[in-house]
Amino acid sequence: MYSSSLADAPAVREPLHAPVAHLVRGGVIEGIHYGSVVVLGADGEIRFQLGDVEVASYPRSALKPVQAVAMVRAGLPLDGELLSLAAASHSGEERHLAGTRRILELADVTEDDLRNVPDLPYDPVVRDAWVREGRLPSRLAQNCSGKHAAMLYTCKLNGWSLEDYLDPAHPLQRAIAEIVEDLTGQHIARVTVDGCGAPLFSVSLHGLARAAARITTAPPGTPEARVADAMREHAEMASGSGRDVAALMRAVPGLLAKDGFEGVEVAALPDGRAVAVKIADGANRARIPVTAAALARAGVDPNLLGEFAGEPLLGGGEPVGSVRPVRALDPVSAVTYA
């Protein structure tokens, strides 16, 4: 356990975001993405920050590794692919559906017991095929179904009620909130409802990075280490084929990474170095190049990060620019707009 002395909840106010990436077309800055970035050293101290890393924010699905740790601490016996799926924002591929069904079987419950919102698969290719086949939105296909199945399994093992497992006052959600505070080292600022229907806890970007670092530096065999190992070894189960977050974990040895809606990403290395990113406008196109630049700031070899520099901006079907991290975030590259 970590110190029982928690920092105050982060302030709820308008974030003081700063420019983190430029959209450059033909040598001219056409657009600016604002956001915030924090980089922690192996000692847990802030090595770099940009924007507002202490304001209250919603990590969205970037908090799922923490939720998974809470469930393992509460007795969830999953490991490997299924534990990775319990921390997933999955793409809705058949492997994800089959894995979620397996968790439901282990819990001796059914898809009807899930309380997440019915949806189509997250991956565009999988979603298009789903629609062509005339299949309707389902709770199983929704990207958080693995987490919800694991929540049901955790409740079943503890004798907790199933029908209200998403209520913030439910024993499961109280247990998750306790671990969120434990790992982030701060009190929760606000509780609301995430897109899938589960409680969503507001912490700071700094706290999110600290939680990821505590997960990756935990001793072998602990709930934190089990979650980290499962996600790193089965990155596609925590996301999907072709997803940038899985590619990032494959490219950087030992890296744990998790994305979240509205432009959030957190990543941590086994020695405790960690980064957390929030893109203010939620733009996905800025999330991954800014994350890559932050990881370079943390000391990751830039040669491992080349494929995450961002997709090219096209004009007439030809590359004419790209989204680039601001110089303050990536000073080594000495970006020139040409």
Side-chain angles (χ1 to χ4, degrees), residues 8 80 110 124:
D8 291 340
T110 71

Coordinates of all heavy atoms in Angstrom, one line a residue, residues 8 80 110 124:
D8 N -4.9 17.0 -1.6 CA -6.2 17.5 -1.9 C -6.7 17.2 -3.3 O -5.9 17.0 -4.2 CB -6.3 19.0 -1.6 CG -6.1 19.4 -0.2 OD1 -6.3 18.5 0.7 OD2 -5.7 20.6 0.1
G80 N -3.5 -12.7 -18.2 CA -3.2 -12.8 -19.6 C -4.2 -12.1 -20.4 O -4.6 -10.9 -20.1
T110 N -24.8 -13.6 -18.0 CA -25.0 -13.6 -19.4 C -24.9 -12.1 -19.9 O -24.7 -11.2 -19.1 CB -26.4 -14.1 -19.8 OG1 -27.4 -13.1 -19.3 CG2 -26.7 -15.4 -19.2
P124 N -13.4 1.1 -37.3 CA -14.3 1.4 -38.5 C -14.5 0.3 -39.5 O -15.6 0.1 -40.0 CB -13.5 2.6 -39.2 CG -12.7 3.2 -38.1 CD -12.3 2.0 -37.2

